[in-house]
Structures are given as C-alpha cells and as structure tokens.
Amino acid sequence: MRASVARRDASSLLRAAGVASPERDADLLLAHVLDVGLGRLPLVDDLTPPQQEQYDVLLARRAAREPLQHLTGTAAFRHVELAVGPGVFVPRPETELLAGWAIDAASALDRPALVVDLCTGSGAIAKAVADEVPDADVHAVELDEGALAWAERNLAGTGVDLRHGDLATAFDDLAGTVDVVVCNPPYIPLEAWESVAAEARDHDPHLALFSGQDGLDAIRVLEQRAALLLRPGGVVGAEHADVQGESAPGVFAASGRWVDVADHRDLAGRARYLTARLAR
C-alpha cells in the first residue's frame, strides 16, 4: 500500500475512535514501524506487507485507546528518553514545566543542590534533573513496585539514589538538608473517575492517579513531608489538576510553614503546579 494512503486511513481510524491527536499518532506509529524520523515519512513510497501488517496491529491497539507510548515503548521528556509500558504512569508534556522549575531551582545555588523527587513513577523528573544539573545530588522514591521497576531501568547509570517507599515516610536520613523537593503526586478526585481519559483510566496505575474525594490527600501528605525534608529556605514544587489552582496552594498557605506560595500555569493557560519556600 502507498504510505500516503496508509497514513490517511490510519488518521481516519484513530479520529473515529476518539483519539485526541489522530494524525500525529498515526505518523508516530508509522515512523516507529519503519524506524525512521517523522521528517522522513513523506519520502516513504510504499509499505511492504509485513510493515503494513505491523502498522495495522498497532493502529488497532491505539484505536482501543492503549497509550501511544505503550506501543512505541518510549516517552520523550525534556532532553531525555524514558522506557515506559504497562504498570507505570506515562509522563505528560505539561510535567516538563514542573521539572524545568526544579532544574532552575537546583541550578540557582552556588553549590551542588540536594534534590528529592517524591512519587517518581518512571523516574522522569529525577532523570531530567540529573541530566540538566549534573552536579546535583538527586534522590527519588516510588511506592508502586511495577512503576519502581521502570524507574530502575530509566535511572540506571544516572547516579540517582532510587528507593522503594512511601512519600509520607521517605528519606528520614535527609531530614532538614534538602534544597529542592519536587513531586508529581496523584491528584484526581475519586468522583472524577468517569471523566478521566481512557488511556489513563484503563492503563495508568490508579495509585498514580487518584487521591481521595477531593484529590488533595497526597498533596496534604506532601506538605508535611516537604516541611520535614527541606532546609529552612528550601523550596517545594508539585503538580496538580487545573481545577486545583486555589485549593492545592491553599494546603501550603494554611499550614503557616511556608512563604512565597504561588501557583503557575501551563502553556495552555491552565493552573498546573504550585511552588512554596519553607520559612526560615
């Protein structure tokens, strides 16, 4: 089959299935099958029968709302590539903003920064910090054993201290010494189950998604743990749902332990992550 026809038909199939970015996903899957970059797809004339068969199988799985990254086995995150698949939360592009904040905060110090990534999942934020701030001392923790296996794979050789544990009790040995705490916690209210995209609801670990009736249970735990881990003047950053632009920072503001509590928007103008500084 002509590659151009295959791409057109693939886009139509994915659009009908309700995939958010049908054209891009169709192209990414074809590039994966052909092992070429997206820029080379217009140069491809015909697909061989085995290539077409592989493409059709991947398209059917994507039309069933299996995450694109599960099909390709990788996810790009800032300047690093992550191995992902069943059992781990697929990192989202918007989380790159939170990682960028952590990188800037670590880079601003006149000495090597001590950085802790709580709820590391695939290890995305920890790996990005280690990649862009090579002299930082980076530590990460993950509770879910399935996700931990992916983090171990992604963080191998990076120098990141990866541990198995709960954000509520992690890193007692670092108490009062950390410069930057960063966290992408679960934050979806249980009542919002039906509104979650099928790719996340049916494939991401629920431990990484849902956090009590109002979605703030993990953020409340984070507020307490960050206060214990950080040195006076240390900073914390955490992602939250776009509807939590007031309630999530409010958890920190209400405790009386924090100054410079602020919320930040993503590139689409939606409330995305909070930051705060531990009072001296």
Side-chain angles (χ1 to χ4, degrees):
M1 178 182 288
R2 300 287 294 180
S4 59
V5 174
R7 292 168 68 190
R8 182 198 64 201
D9 292 349
S11 297
S12 297
L13 173 69
L14 297 184
R15 187 178 301 106
V19 172
S21 304
E23 292 84 2
R24 181 166 177 79
D25 283 16
D27 283 354
L28 286 168
L29 287 174
L30 184 56
H32 174 69
V33 168
L34 300 177
D35 194 22
V36 300
L38 286 176
R40 293 190 59 81
L41 287 183
L43 305 178
V44 178
D45 292 325
D46 297 302
L47 303 184
T48 67
Q51 289 170 340
Q52 184 66 56
E53 181 179 1
Q54 183 183 0
Y55 192 37
D56 289 343
V57 168
L58 292 176
L59 287 170
R61 292 170 64 185
R62 185 69 187 101
R65 307 298 291 276
E66 190 170 343
L68 172 71
Q69 296 85 352
H70 285 197
L71 303 179
T72 63
T74 62
F77 190 82
R78 290 184 69 88
H79 304 294
V80 301
E81 186 174 84
L82 302 158
V84 295
V88 70
F89 180 82
V90 175
R92 307 313 198 241
E94 54 266 31
T95 306
E96 294 184 6
L97 297 175
L98 174 63
W101 167 84
I103 288 163
D104 289 344
S107 300
L109 299 177
D110 58 5
R111 54 175 173 75
L114 178 55
V115 181
V116 165
D117 177 17
L118 300 173
C119 306
T120 195
S122 66
I125 295 177
K127 187 170 184 177
V129 174
D131 176 65
E132 297 183 52
V133 194
D135 65 346
D137 182 12
V138 184
H139 302 256
V141 68
E142 175 55 44
L143 177 60
D144 185 87
E145 291 186 358
L148 181 70
W150 288 102
E152 288 173 341
R153 179 175 173 181
N154 287 317
L155 296 175
T158 64
V160 174
D161 167 32
L162 174 63
R163 306 186 194 182
H164 181 209
D166 192 330
L167 78 92
T169 56
F171 302 115
D172 277 341
D173 54 313
L174 301 180
T177 67
V178 177
D179 298 302
V180 181
V181 169
V182 61
C183 182
N184 183 12
Y187 50 70
I188 300 174
L190 290 172
E191 64 183 18
W193 165 270
E194 292 296 337
S195 68
V196 178
E199 287 87 346
R201 184 187 65 234
D202 298 339
H203 296 279
D204 282 336
H206 288 179
L207 186 64
L209 297 177
F210 300 100
S211 189
Q213 292 302 314
D214 62 359
L216 295 174
D217 281 4
I219 288 177
R220 294 186 183 97
V221 175
L222 170 65
E223 186 276 325
Q224 297 176 24
R225 197 61 186 172
L228 182 145
L229 292 175
L230 289 168
R231 62 171 173 79
V235 292
V236 59
E239 187 169 306
H240 57 69
D242 54 7
V243 297
Q244 295 167 340
E246 294 184 2
S247 58
V251 170
F252 284 77
S255 75
R257 290 189 278 242
W258 305 90
V259 296
D260 302 332
V261 179
D263 204 64
H264 308 266
R265 296 186 177 273
D266 61 21
L267 297 180
R270 297 170 296 199
R272 182 54 56 198
Y273 68 96
L274 67 90
T275 58
R277 184 178 302 276
L278 188 65
R280 295 182 184 276

